[in-house]
Amino acid sequence: MSKTNIGITVHDPEAGFLLEMLRHAEAVGIPNYWLTTGAGPDAMMIFAAAATVTRSIRMGTAIVPTYPRSPVVMAQQASDLAALAPGRFVLGLGPSHKSTMEQRYGIAYDKPIGHLREYVQVVRGLLAGGPFKFSGKRFQIDATLNRGADVPVMVSALRSGSFELAGEITDGAISWLCPARYLRDVALPAMERGAQSAGRTRPRLVGQTFMALTSDRAQLRAAVERGLPYYVRLTNYQEMFVAAGHPEAREGRWSDGMIDAAVVHGDEATCAAKLDRFIETSGCDELIVSMLAVGNDVRPAVRTTLDFVGRYCAA
């Protein structure tokens, strides 16, 4: 995998800081910048603001939840972003989680893979340009965008079914917290099955790992428990870790083994070696490095980590 396929994502509650770090990432030579859309700032809004003040960095959503937005609205936003940043936008979609959709948004979370299949079909159909009609179990669409757009459409994937769907109908799968061996042993074979069923070549696998520049184990655990408390309480993530060889995941807490599998950590030389090993073991086509800032003053730590990733990409 070429280091031009390395990207980062920064987590912060303020949109202004995320935009500032996007511009800093471009300045230090990081090729790709990914953002999530959850309880914090909206990635599509930040990328729209960034499109006219950046020149080369590729921007991707990892991911935008599908249930709260009409696929027509999503396709229109993606088309507009593609016009503002030609060739530099990737749309990552995903159903998110039952608790998030039902508690935060008050939206019923029903058969997410079936929902995602139809949603992707509608978005890709609209982005192709021209009048588009779709009649499915969940969506009845008759719409036309002002203009089509060449936007890769990827989906979030965690278990084998979603990786298989990605292989069948999308431009790629975006993983989250999946250890390298899980991507190699579960994700890639599932994507191959999906691609073969559709008579197509397997699309891209986007791996992801958190990274903390610290050799202090207590500091690392504090950062994980502060920054990542949510995932280990979700059944889907627990079962993913079980399939990756960590049966203790069902206890709903981070074990040392799970931390080591999901978080690259150590000094800069150690992290660089671990990133190399993650890429080699996983077989991923792209890699998202998620900032897990340590210490009490996290924003300077984020900038320091971005500087390191820029040097890693240039090496």
Side-chain angles (χ1 to χ4, degrees):
M1 187 190 87
S2 168
K3 288 186 178 178
T4 59
N5 292 322
I6 299 288
I8 58 91
T9 186
V10 176
H11 309 275
D12 193 88
E14 293 187 14
F17 181 73
L18 294 178
L19 177 59
E20 178 188 351
M21 290 301 97
L22 192 160
R23 299 183 71 179
H24 185 72
E26 182 177 63
V28 300
I30 297 173
N32 305 286
Y33 192 94
W34 299 81
L35 284 176
T36 62
T37 294
D42 184 277
M44 304 288 274
M45 294 285 288
I46 294 167
F47 287 153
T52 59
V53 295
T54 57
R55 293 292 176 265
S56 62
I57 196 165
R58 179 170 169 256
M59 299 174 286
T61 57
I63 47 83
V64 179
T66 53
Y67 281 97
R69 297 188 205 206
S70 160
V72 180
V73 173
M74 188 72 78
Q76 182 67 65
Q77 290 181 318
S79 176
D80 292 342
L81 269 171
L84 292 171
R88 294 198 289 128
F89 178 63
V90 178
L91 180 63
L93 302 170
S96 189
H97 309 288
K98 181 179 177 68
S99 58
T100 302
M101 291 303 103
E102 295 187 348
Q103 295 173 21
R104 178 178 174 80
Y105 293 102
I107 298 172
Y109 189 82
D110 180 49
K111 297 181 179 178
I113 290 183
H115 158 87
L116 187 60
R117 175 184 290 276
E118 289 194 8
Y119 197 101
V120 168
Q121 290 174 307
V122 172
V123 169
R124 295 189 77 181
L126 287 166
L127 288 173
F132 178 75
K133 293 184 178 181
F134 181 86
S135 180
K137 293 181 179 179
R138 296 158 182 83
F139 298 104
Q140 305 293 321
I141 302 294
D142 184 354
T144 305
L145 297 187
N146 291 332
R147 59 186 297 277
D150 183 14
V151 175
V153 178
M154 300 185 177
V155 295
S156 61
L158 184 65
R159 308 294 300 280
S160 60
S162 51
F163 281 111
E164 196 164 326
L165 176 67
E168 181 187 351
I169 68 168
T170 78
D171 296 307
I174 302 171
S175 68
W176 202 257
L177 280 176
C178 297
R181 290 182 180 178
Y182 181 85
L183 295 178
R184 179 193 66 194
D185 297 338
V186 176
L188 281 173
M191 292 185 73
E192 291 285 0
R193 290 193 302 272
Q196 288 173 8
S197 72
R200 66 197 295 251
T201 302
R202 175 184 66 79
R204 301 176 74 77
L205 171 61
V206 182
Q208 179 269 349
T209 183
F210 280 87
M211 186 176 72
L213 283 177
T214 182
S215 299
D216 184 318
R217 193 82 198 188
Q219 191 179 54
L220 171 66
R221 175 166 285 280
V224 169
E225 292 181 349
R226 178 183 65 229
L228 304 173
Y230 178 64
Y231 298 103
V232 289
R233 297 198 293 266
L234 298 174
T235 301
N236 282 345
Y237 278 92
Q238 290 177 357
E239 294 307 309
M240 179 276 291
F241 275 114
V242 170
H246 299 281
E248 72 276 15
R250 292 191 178 119
E251 298 174 8
R253 59 181 180 82
W254 284 99
S255 69
D256 286 344
M258 291 162 61
I259 291 174
D260 290 340
V263 182
V264 167
H265 55 91
D267 59 20
E268 289 191 2
T270 301
C271 284
K274 287 181 177 180
L275 288 174
D276 288 343
R277 190 156 57 248
F278 187 101
I279 293 167
E280 180 180 0
T281 299
S282 69
C284 63
D285 303 293
E286 300 189 40
L287 179 64
I288 301 172
V289 180
S290 297
M291 304 293 98
L292 186 63
V294 297
N296 295 324
D297 196 359
V298 297
R299 288 187 170 181
V302 168
R303 190 180 294 270
T304 297
T305 305
L306 290 180
D307 292 344
F308 161 69
V309 175
R311 292 191 296 273
Y312 175 76
C313 291

